[in-house]
Amino acid sequence: MASSCDHEFTPKHDNLRIMFETARGLIIDLDGTVYRGSEAVPGAVDFLTAARDAGMRLLYATNRSSRTPEVVRDQLRGYGLVCERDEILTSAQATAAHLPPSFVHVIGGSGLRAALTERGHHLVDTALEDTPEHEQPDAVIVGYDPTVDYAALERAMRFIRAGARFIGTNADVKMNTDTGLSPGNGAILAALETCSGVAPEIVGKPSAAFFETAITRLGISRGNVWVIGDSIATDIRGALGASLPAVLLLTGVSTRDEAEALPIDHVVETWSDIAALLLH
């Protein structure tokens, strides 16, 4: 694939080209990396199409738990990408796989509820005082839900204080929307942590559990898997924690100044920069 990028590549870029020769599969972030709001990030579709045509295995990884894999797949297809359901990994799916089938109380959207049900979990929707003892939830699982209200927080808090594990699909404090930044799931988790006195376990990025699930899904040796994302806090820290090489794209939430303050070797401005290195 020809690139329209005319950058003079630094030694870091040369090193990236050499290391990218090992890539057989990619774990690709979505929000801020493949799309922003409802629009595709420039160059993403061309690169990912070329990578797939070249035989790379692709796995699209998102911390958003509210949508089902089918909804995410259809969005990507709308941009012109070839994508199947099993090429999507949401934090909801990772969370559902992280726990053995059990009784769970849920704050979250249809994507989280569907993922948990699919894995054999039993959803408890009643309040603590109305739930039979043998159906008391083993865990309270919290994902992004813009409709959450005081009553929902109260129910979840009481289960947590009664001994249920407190699990968050992700801890992202803010998220990109078509109208700008909005509070993310981390805001809900913070409210519950404050009132329950219990800190949540996080299963989504940057947790090792998420990336191990992703590697298993790809079915490729971890030495041949790369991560591409726009967030230092989730994508890059998660990749480094899982000993996976990563590329930070400056198309979303993280900036070059933030990247230069940390030991991140591979930082590029656009998808065209990566295309020029990998698909020459």
Side-chain angles (χ1 to χ4, degrees), residues 133-186:
E133 186 174 350
H134 69 283
E135 293 182 2
Q136 295 284 319
D138 302 293
V140 170
I141 299 177
V142 180
Y144 174 70
D145 184 352
T147 70
V148 69
D149 58 15
Y150 185 88
L153 294 174
E154 181 180 68
R155 287 192 296 271
M157 177 200 72
R158 290 180 178 177
F159 280 127
I160 294 168
R161 289 178 61 86
R165 291 173 66 183
F166 179 19
I167 296 174
T169 60
N170 68 87
D172 299 8
V173 296
K174 56 184 180 295
M175 55 190 290
N176 288 303
T177 69
D178 285 331
T179 57
L181 288 177
S182 295
N185 193 46

Side-chain angles (χ1 to χ4, degrees), residues 12-54:
K12 285 186 178 181
H13 286 98
D14 291 335
N15 185 41
L16 179 57
R17 176 186 285 114
I18 294 169
M19 295 188 72
F20 238 138
E21 291 176 358
T22 67
R24 300 293 178 270
L26 301 176
I27 299 171
I28 307 128
D29 174 58
L30 287 176
D31 187 20
T33 302
V34 176
Y35 55 74
R36 287 189 294 260
S38 60
E39 299 295 325
V41 172
V45 173
D46 287 344
F47 172 85
L48 293 167
T49 298
R52 187 186 183 95
D53 290 346

Side-chain angles (χ1 to χ4, degrees), residues 52-112:
R52 187 186 183 95
D53 290 346
M56 280 200 180
R57 304 255 342 236
L58 307 181
L59 183 68
Y60 297 100
T62 176
N63 256 357
R64 292 198 186 187
S65 63
S66 57
R67 301 192 301 165
T68 65
E70 290 83 359
V71 170
V72 178
R73 175 202 63 195
D74 291 347
Q75 179 180 356
L76 295 179
R77 286 179 175 179
Y79 300 138
L81 287 166
V82 175
C83 182
E84 304 301 331
R85 183 187 190 278
D86 64 1
E87 293 175 305
I88 306 295
L89 178 62
T90 71
S91 62
Q93 292 175 295
T95 300
H98 183 64
L99 301 171
S102 55
F103 288 96
V104 296
H105 180 72
V106 178
I107 290 176
S110 60
L112 178 56

